[in-house]
Amino acid sequence: MSLRILLTLILFFPVCCFAQYNISGKVYNAVDNSPFPDASVFLSNTTIGARSNADGSFFINDVKPGKYTLVVSAVGFESHTEEIMLDRNFSLRDVKLLPKSTVLQDVTIKFDAAREKRLKLFTQELLGWSENAKETKILNPEVVSLKIDKDSVLTASADDYIQIENKALGYNIKYLLKVFSLQLKTGLVSYTGEYKFEKMQGTSSEDHRWEKHRKEAYLGSPKHFFRSLIANTYKKDGFTVYKVVREHKPLFVDTNFVKSLIVNDSLIRVKDDTNSYRVVVKKDTVKYNKKNPPMEKLRIIDPQLTAKEIFSPTDQPGIYALRFDDLLKNIMFVIYTKKLTMNSAYEFVNRRRFLIDRPTTFVAFTKPYALFDSNGIITSAGSIAYSGDWSVTRVADLLPVDYWPNE
């Protein structure tokens, strides 16, 4: 089905009012075609899942519409993943699990300084550096294999689920790692995988603390932004959106320029004679800008973008498109006004030393369209790149897709 963008504005209902659907199917052993009992079946990046029955059947009920990755797994067998678009009750074709071909070998556990250093890098990049990351850890690091190639790229793989305990948000996470690479020379990191979230059981005070932290992680996040666009509440929810024009209008997007615009480390706060705070630019700012000149001239456009200018529904139910003019040549600049953060300075052609103490994100587009679903999740892989606040989110700050505040 084509994804023709509708040009007429329609009335939106909050996503929480959408219908809910059921998913069913059967799991078999690919070797002898026998029913496969007790296989784990779950929707990636959610708390939603089930186990297959004695006859191999499974049922997942009351799921909100949207695009999901369904994962079927069992110990000793290759995992099965499948993308599904849930806009009605869904019956999955038969799933056949193949035994893993990996040969188990005896393992001698001993201290390896090189591995410990690599494991620390991997853990930091995967879990992040936030306050939530301080309470998050990998429980079974022995399943992770790490190596550095001749180009100084650290790669990781795992022969089982990586078990992650997040005591800040109250989740146990099973992470099926697919790809992880960290370019040690540039710091560029890329990783993909499937997550299964399970809520921790705690006391009433722990539950209250976890919910508080979950809401803090949610507010201002990409998920919050895209959901508020659909509900037409993004301004009330604290989001301000501008279009930023690339004056040279290059044919290909290079998001590295954003790093040269952000000079947080060149700003400090000091108290003046009135005992209030002001921003002081350090003397090395000019030197910093000479060493890291902006790669492009950027112009921030007033007024702020309206919902109609930012996105529209498509002809596929539950799928929406970011649509402002000429995505590949323009950038979306998102400011979340309901949180404070360290001051950042931006050098726009028409606004010199643009200072802001709120979380900001540049959204650059690498494809002529970007799609997201009713859960607030980007469904067109590789279509956008974040720089700024959203780009530093890691596993320790992730919430399951089915998380909604105050539910």
Side-chain angles (χ1 to χ4, degrees):
M1 180 181 292
S2 67
L3 288 167
R4 182 181 66 258
I5 297 175
L6 302 181
L7 298 179
T8 55
L9 190 65
I10 66 171
L11 294 176
F12 299 118
F13 291 95
V15 241
C16 56
C17 298
F18 286 173
Q20 295 183 324
Y21 301 110
N22 303 324
I23 304 170
S24 60
K26 279 194 171 184
V27 185
Y28 293 92
N29 188 321
V31 175
D32 57 9
N33 227 26
S34 61
F36 202 120
D38 207 35
S40 175
V41 185
F42 65 95
L43 300 181
S44 180
N45 204 16
T46 75
T47 61
I48 302 168
R51 302 198 78 86
S52 59
N53 300 314
D55 63 352
S57 63
F58 66 86
F59 303 91
I60 302 175
N61 299 321
D62 302 326
V63 183
K64 289 180 179 177
K67 189 173 182 179
Y68 297 93
T69 299
L70 185 138
V71 182
V72 183
S73 66
V75 176
F77 287 77
E78 300 288 350
S79 296
H80 170 90
T81 61
E82 185 169 339
E83 299 288 331
I84 63 172
M85 180 63 204
L86 197 62
D87 54 9
R88 60 180 64 85
N89 289 335
F90 190 88
S91 181
L92 195 71
R93 60 184 176 82
D94 291 345
V95 175
K96 297 184 178 182
L97 297 183
L98 286 164
K100 285 185 176 179
S101 56
T102 305
V103 177
L104 297 178
Q105 299 178 347
D106 292 335
V107 178
T108 301
I109 300 176
K110 61 180 180 179
F111 180 76
D112 183 338
R115 172 179 162 78
E116 290 302 311
K117 184 178 180 180
R118 296 170 185 175
L119 182 62
K120 183 177 180 181
L121 285 171
F122 168 77
T123 302
Q124 286 179 334
E125 289 292 347
L126 187 68
L127 303 185
W129 303 265
S130 67
E131 290 300 311
N132 291 333
K134 294 177 182 178
E135 297 186 63
T136 306
K137 63 181 180 180
I138 295 175
L139 300 179
N140 59 341
E142 67 276 4
V143 305
V144 181
S145 298
L146 300 155
K147 64 179 181 179
I148 298 178
D149 64 18
K150 59 181 177 60
D151 297 317
S152 297
V153 177
L154 173 65
T155 58
S157 59
D159 56 14
D160 199 352
Y161 282 99
I162 299 175
Q163 307 280 350
I164 300 171
E165 179 184 70
N166 187 337
K167 288 187 175 181
L169 301 182
Y171 291 111
N172 289 312
I173 304 170
K174 291 183 177 181
Y175 183 45
L176 185 62
L177 179 65
K178 290 185 174 180
V179 175
F180 177 94
S181 69
L182 170 62
Q183 296 182 22
L184 299 178
K185 293 180 181 179
T186 64
L188 183 64
V189 64
S190 174
Y191 61 91
T192 60
E194 311 296 349
Y195 303 87
K196 181 181 181 183
F197 287 82
E198 295 177 356
K199 285 185 177 180
M200 290 182 177
Q201 300 300 313
T203 64
S204 58
S205 62
E206 286 175 325
D207 288 340
H208 177 77
R209 174 177 175 269
W210 289 334
E211 181 54 33
K212 178 184 176 182
H213 288 178
R214 289 167 187 166
K215 189 170 184 179
E216 288 172 353
Y218 175 79
L219 295 176
S221 68
K223 192 181 302 178
H224 182 202
F225 174 64
F226 292 124
R227 288 176 177 178
S228 68
L229 282 179
I230 297 171
N232 202 22
T233 59
Y234 73 101
K235 289 185 178 180
K236 183 184 73 173
D237 290 346
F239 292 101
T240 299
V241 186
Y242 292 94
K243 179 167 72 173
V244 171
V245 175
R246 313 176 75 169
E247 297 258 300
H248 295 166
K249 297 183 179 180
L251 292 176
F252 301 100
V253 170
D254 182 356
T255 58
N256 289 330
F257 72 89
V258 176
K259 295 178 182 178
S260 64
L261 293 175
I262 302 175
V263 290
N264 309 36
D265 54 342
S266 297
L267 297 172
I268 59 174
R269 284 179 176 273
V270 298
K271 287 188 176 181
D272 60 21
D273 296 336
T274 62
N275 205 36
S276 61
Y277 283 97
R278 61 192 175 89
V279 173
V280 177
V281 180
K282 293 168 64 177
K283 292 181 180 179
D284 63 353
T285 301
V286 174
K287 181 179 179 183
Y288 176 92
N289 288 335
K290 284 182 178 178
K291 288 179 63 178
N292 303 276
M295 294 175 67
E296 298 186 68
K297 292 183 178 180
L298 302 177
R299 182 179 299 274
I300 188 168
I301 305 298
D302 283 317
Q304 299 171 19
L305 293 174
T306 65
K308 187 177 180 180
E309 292 172 315
I310 299 171
F311 87 114
S312 70
T314 68
D315 59 356
Q316 188 170 345
I319 298 294
Y320 304 85
L322 295 170
R323 63 171 299 273
F324 69 88
D325 296 337
D326 207 345
L327 294 186
L328 290 179
K329 295 181 181 179
N330 298 322
I331 300 161
M332 192 162 66
F333 185 45
V334 182
I335 304 170
Y336 183 62
T337 62
K338 293 190 176 183
K339 284 183 180 178
L340 287 171
T341 189
M342 188 177 188
N343 273 279
S344 295
Y346 302 96
E347 290 289 344
F348 295 113
V349 172
N350 55 333
R351 285 202 197 179
R352 309 299 293 180
R353 304 303 298 166
F354 182 76
L355 297 177
I356 189 165
D357 60 356
R358 310 288 161 155
T360 58
T361 300
F362 287 91
V363 182
F365 297 85
T366 56
K367 292 183 180 179
Y369 62 88
L371 306 175
F372 61 98
D373 69 6
S374 53
N375 288 313
I377 303 299
I378 293 291
T379 61
S380 50
S383 60
I384 59 176
Y386 299 140
S387 291
D389 184 62
W390 292 351
S391 70
V392 297
T393 299
R394 295 291 193 268
V395 171
D397 301 303
L398 285 183
L399 293 165
V401 170
D402 51 318
Y403 173 79
W404 294 81
N406 301 323
E407 273 200 348

